[in-house]
Amino acid sequence: MKFSVSYCKTILSICALLSFINSWGWGQKGHDVTCAIAEHHLTEKTRAAVLDLLEGKSLVYWSNWLDNASHTPEYGYSRTWHYKNIDDGQEYEEAPINPSGDVVVAIRDQVKTLGKSYKKKNDKQILALKMLIHLVGDLHQPMHLGRLSDKGGNYHKITFFTTETNLHSLWDSYLPESAHKWSYTEWRNEIDRLSDTEIAAICQGTVDDWAKETFLITREVYNSSPREGKVSYDYIYKWTPVIEKQLAKGGIRLAFLLNTIFDPH
């Protein structure tokens, strides 16, 4: 069977698009879940400030904006802000700082920008908020603390049931969607059930502490995910509770950061 040149180009374009999509963090739904949980824990004062900055739109509305924006000339400088690569054999504290920035540095910078006596919205604060709500989600996706040698698992080939993919894509979308076929609102309803004591514990520490916590999970993920190996039901069973906890932590911590900025009392 022969195919036209235009047909082949179309197929290649689709494949490239799918590859691009699979490089995102948590997949779109994961970021929606993080922001939906965060919205549930905002104080009234914080909620008003956030709505003002986002012109009435929700955190969820903007949750995936940065994944697209980072691939435009205007915001291309933020491409490395979605992750922090730490190679095998390195401790978190030993990882070299990316001169173009990483997710930890970027979160700290956005918090600093937002914390400059918010009274009336300005473009810098609007942009910082749009970035922050996405980056906190990325910080809790284990493969965004993945190895430099395989680009955060993008070059770590693995088969999920019969689908050939890579470790990053597996954790972005395949695994969360296999864990629960829920909408983002159902995810929020089911996993956002923590006690005040549990929430207080999650909010302890610094952004570096949270990143290191994710990094330790990442190490275990690599140990459980053999290169060129095959994973299926037992893998879903093992990692579903971790996915639930990481999404919940991301949402709780995003709300904590925003409340600290906009309603410190």
Side-chain angles (χ1 to χ4, degrees), residues 81 84 97-98 101-110 207-208:
W81 293 11
K84 180 180 177 68
I97 301 298
N98 189 325
D102 61 41
V103 66
V104 176
V105 173
I107 289 174
R108 286 201 298 257
D109 287 347
Q110 308 324 303
V207 177
D208 272 298

Side-chain angles (χ1 to χ4, degrees), residues 9-37:
K9 287 182 177 179
T10 300
I11 295 299
L12 288 173
S13 297
I14 292 172
C15 291
L17 176 60
L18 290 174
S19 175
F20 166 72
I21 289 173
N22 284 336
S23 69
W24 294 353
W26 271 144
Q28 293 185 1
K29 187 178 293 182
H31 282 288
D32 289 347
V33 173
T34 298
C35 287
I37 292 173

Side-chain angles (χ1 to χ4, degrees), residues 148-175:
L148 177 62
S149 59
D150 62 19
K151 303 298 182 183
N154 277 293
Y155 296 159
H156 185 115
K157 302 302 180 183
I158 196 165
T159 300
F160 186 56
F161 289 94
T162 59
T163 301
E164 293 185 0
T165 183
N166 61 67
L167 193 56
H168 195 111
S169 297
L170 177 62
W171 274 82
D172 270 354
S173 298
Y174 286 113
L175 194 53

Side-chain angles (χ1 to χ4, degrees), residues 72-142:
T72 66
E74 185 177 3
Y75 301 108
Y77 61 85
S78 66
R79 287 193 185 189
T80 64
W81 293 11
H82 298 256
Y83 55 86
K84 180 180 177 68
N85 287 146
I86 304 172
D87 250 335
D88 189 26
Q90 287 182 329
E91 296 299 327
Y92 177 84
E93 296 80 6
E94 298 170 344
I97 301 298
N98 189 325
S100 299
D102 61 41
V103 66
V104 176
V105 173
I107 289 174
R108 286 201 298 257
D109 287 347
Q110 308 324 303
V111 169
K112 184 177 180 180
T113 297
L114 285 168
K116 290 181 178 178
S117 59
Y118 172 75
K119 292 181 180 179
K120 187 176 181 180
K121 63 184 178 183
N122 60 64
D123 290 343
K124 288 184 178 180
Q125 289 179 320
I126 293 171
L127 178 59
L129 178 56
K130 290 178 181 178
M131 288 183 164
L132 182 65
I133 62 180
H134 182 87
L135 296 173
V136 174
D138 279 345
L139 186 73
H140 292 82
Q141 206 276 51

